[in-house]
Amino acid sequence: MRKGTSSRTSTPPSICGDGSCPVPCGLAPARRVLLLGFLLLLPCTALAQDPGNEVRADALRVFLDCNTFPCDSDFFRTEIGFVNWVRDRTLAQVHLIITSNQTGGGGNVYALEFIGLQELDGDNDTLPLTSLSTDTEEEILSALTSVIAAGLARYSAAIGQPAAYTIEPADDFDLGIDELVSGNQVNDPWNFWVFEIGADGELQGEDTEREHELSGSFEATRTTAVWRFEFEAEGSMSRDERELQNGNLIVDERTNWSTDFLLVRALADHWSLGLIGGAGASTRLNQDFGADVAAAVEYSFFPYVDAPRQSLTARYDLRLQHYLWEEETVFFETEETRPQHQLTLQLFQRQPWGSSRVSVDGSQFLHDLGLWSVSLSGDLEFRIFRGLNLEVGGNVNFIEDQIFLSREGLSDEDILLGRFERPTGKSYELFVGISYEFGSIFNNVVNNRFDSRNFGGGGGDFD
């Protein structure tokens, strides 16, 4: 366990262990016991607070900006006791941004960016950390804490507040062992291959309703500095029975499966070439069988190494698709092979003011240029000013390429069950959220009594 030794104090006495809590006299024994129990919770609760977590005068003020897994601010505040953690970036002296990218072995490469503010403006630093896919959450948190503490210790010294901090990496945590390396740099019996397999089942019912579902999945990946390969396969079978008031039984059976593969070759710092394909079946999309293969090229306007903080990419796909339809389509087809092309532009940024993502996607069938679709999606998380945060997101889709629609149309039963996709020219989604925080800017104190994740009342579940 790592401890910040510069500001730790002795362990506080146990609650009422020093006799500071008054014992009421002159009451009946039963009432005396009840009142004693109540009084034990009032004047002595302050003794349970760790003074080492209080605001420290002149200590480095740090604002944490971390949305990757695992980020546990309580853990960091508990283990790193020589700084003041603030909830307002404008009052911080260091803004810490933590981002991550997944490695080929299933682990993560974390980038911890320290941005100097106020008198430390311009004094920026970046520290890396690599985790393994087999590392536990506690191991990753401990390693992150060590790197964070090492980075903050330098800034503390720069403002004249040096901190003594012991860094002891976990025995089984090897920094850097999972980095992207070539085959001749490491003896890997798996040759960079990673596999994952899973299955699950569900059964539920009551007097008039019964449901069951089985599903499974398989995934194989291999990643090097030059090549990237991914293969995924998943499938599910479900049956839903509902008895109506008149005694009739409605049965909804669905079978869905899909396979997808991706092969990418790095061409240069900004260019990549890809081969994409897949096959599957979907009751909702009227597909008895479907398969496609595409050649793709992607250009990154920023170097790929900057992707955790900012990325702007353009990708073009040239695709060939083949379908066997369960029911004859509105174009009188039961089987068809169609060429299609697609262009995707995507922008992502994570900056001290917040983060944003915008994506534009357009596709078109080449045998009939009137069959097309365009999608625009995005989300923004923005710190307007101290304590005020705005979240906006949504998407809009213009759809003119539903070649899978059944010529027979949909019954009321199909519509109610959502069994098949319905004809539409557009779809949209929008969400807006705003929050404002006020009060003390310092949040060093950690008090995990009555864990909020397990707290509930008699009012029901509000999830």
Side-chain angles (χ1 to χ4, degrees):
M1 184 68 70
R2 302 147 182 82
K3 296 292 181 184
T5 60
S6 64
S7 61
R8 294 290 179 179
T9 62
S10 60
T11 304
S14 60
I15 296 178
C16 299
D18 58 355
S20 61
C21 297
V23 179
C25 302
L27 295 175
R31 301 174 71 182
R32 185 185 307 170
V33 171
L34 292 175
L35 183 55
L36 175 60
F38 177 74
L39 291 176
L40 284 175
L41 299 177
L42 291 179
C44 308
T45 52
L47 297 176
Q49 199 64 264
D50 183 357
N53 281 333
E54 299 294 346
V55 175
R56 289 162 283 275
D58 301 325
L60 182 72
R61 298 187 301 275
V62 182
F63 178 78
L64 176 65
D65 190 350
C66 181
N67 292 319
T68 190
F69 176 85
C71 267
D72 190 332
S73 59
D74 284 351
F75 190 94
F76 299 148
R77 293 202 304 268
T78 301
E79 297 297 296
I80 303 175
F82 59 85
V83 301
N84 284 324
W85 300 91
V86 300
R87 61 173 182 81
D88 188 344
R89 177 184 174 274
T90 62
L91 297 177
Q93 294 165 295
V94 174
H95 183 174
L96 172 58
I97 300 178
I98 304 178
T99 57
S100 67
N101 263 340
Q102 190 172 34
T103 68
N108 283 285
V109 175
Y110 296 90
L112 291 80
E113 300 190 48
F114 301 82
I115 302 174
L117 304 174
Q118 299 186 24
E119 69 268 34
L120 297 174
D121 186 30
D123 186 359
N124 303 331
D125 197 4
T126 300
L127 297 177
L129 171 69
T130 301
S131 70
L132 303 178
S133 61
T134 54
D135 289 327
T136 65
E137 181 176 345
E138 193 279 334
E139 289 175 327
I140 299 175
L141 281 173
S142 295
L144 281 171
T145 302
S146 294
V147 179
I148 293 172
L152 294 179
R154 182 178 72 82
Y155 287 97
S156 292
I159 64 170
Q161 297 292 325
Y165 193 85
T166 302
I167 299 176
E168 300 175 356
D171 295 338
D172 297 330
F173 200 95
D174 190 351
L175 306 181
I177 194 173
D178 203 30
E179 296 181 27
L180 298 180
V181 293
S182 61
N184 58 2
Q185 290 179 294
V186 64
N187 182 19
D188 182 6
W190 289 98
N191 194 25
F192 298 103
W193 283 99
V194 178
F195 302 93
E196 181 177 338
I197 188 170
D200 60 80
E202 180 179 353
L203 175 64
Q204 59 179 329
E206 51 185 80
D207 289 343
T208 58
E209 298 181 8
R210 289 165 294 279
E211 296 180 42
H212 69 259
E213 181 177 2
L214 297 174
S215 62
S217 63
F218 173 79
E219 180 178 347
T221 63
R222 186 177 189 271
T223 303
T224 67
V226 178
W227 291 95
R228 176 185 171 195
F229 175 80
E230 294 183 6
F231 175 82
E232 296 180 355
E234 58 182 358
S236 66
M237 296 183 298
S238 65
R239 179 182 174 89
D240 186 356
E241 300 179 1
R242 299 178 185 272
E243 185 178 330
L244 303 181
Q245 293 286 1
N246 58 10
N248 292 337
L249 185 66
I250 296 180
V251 178
D252 180 19
E253 291 185 331
R254 304 188 191 190
T255 300
N256 300 285
W257 63 271
S258 66
T259 61
D260 300 282
F261 76 86
L262 169 68
L263 180 63
V264 177
R265 174 66 160 83
L267 299 180
D269 289 342
H270 296 266
W271 289 96
S272 298
L273 188 65
L275 183 65
I276 307 169
S282 171
T283 300
R284 183 170 174 79
L285 296 179
N286 192 29
Q287 290 181 15
D288 192 37
F289 175 78
D292 68 329
V293 61
V297 60
E298 181 180 82
Y299 177 77
S300 176
F301 293 87
F302 301 109
Y304 282 105
V305 294
D306 295 337
R309 280 293 303 274
Q310 61 178 354
S311 66
L312 175 59
T313 59
R315 195 180 93 185
Y316 178 77
D317 298 12
L318 185 59
R319 187 181 307 270
L320 187 65
Q321 300 178 336
H322 178 74
Y323 299 107
L324 293 176
W325 305 114
E326 290 185 5
E327 299 179 3
E328 189 178 49
T329 69
V330 291
F331 294 97
F332 302 95
E333 299 284 354
T334 57
E335 180 179 358
E336 55 186 318
T337 301
R338 302 299 184 193
Q340 185 186 50
H341 65 162
Q342 179 175 328
L343 179 64
T344 303
L345 298 174
Q346 181 168 282
L347 170 67
F348 171 77
Q349 281 193 321
R350 177 179 292 280
Q351 299 295 338
W353 50 260
S355 63
S356 63
R357 185 190 305 272
V358 179
S359 178
V360 181
D361 189 315
S363 63
Q364 186 179 45
F365 282 100
L366 297 178
H367 75 284
D368 185 346
L369 300 184
L371 297 174
W372 55 269
S373 67
V374 175
S375 300
L376 172 63
S377 62
D379 57 80
L380 171 68
E381 182 180 341
F382 185 72
R383 300 184 184 94
I384 301 175
F385 56 80
R386 181 186 301 180
L388 184 62
N389 298 294
L390 176 67
E391 291 186 42
V392 180
N395 63 76
V396 59
N397 309 286
F398 300 95
I399 306 167
E400 296 292 340
D401 62 351
Q402 293 180 298
I403 64 174
F404 55 82
L405 295 175
S406 171
R407 184 166 172 262
E408 293 185 4
L410 303 179
S411 65
D412 291 340
E413 178 182 309
D414 292 333
I415 294 174
L416 290 173
L417 293 175
R419 183 177 296 158
F420 300 103
E421 190 80 19
R422 300 181 68 180
T424 184
K426 65 178 180 298
S427 65
Y428 58 88
E429 180 184 5
L430 176 67
F431 67 87
V432 179
I434 191 167
S435 63
Y436 180 65
E437 294 181 353
F438 54 92
S440 172
I441 66 167
F442 297 98
N443 62 353
N444 294 336
V445 177
V446 176
N447 189 334
N448 55 12
R449 297 169 179 80
F450 283 76
D451 189 345
S452 59
R453 293 169 295 182
N454 299 320
F455 181 74
D461 189 354
F462 289 90
D463 290 341

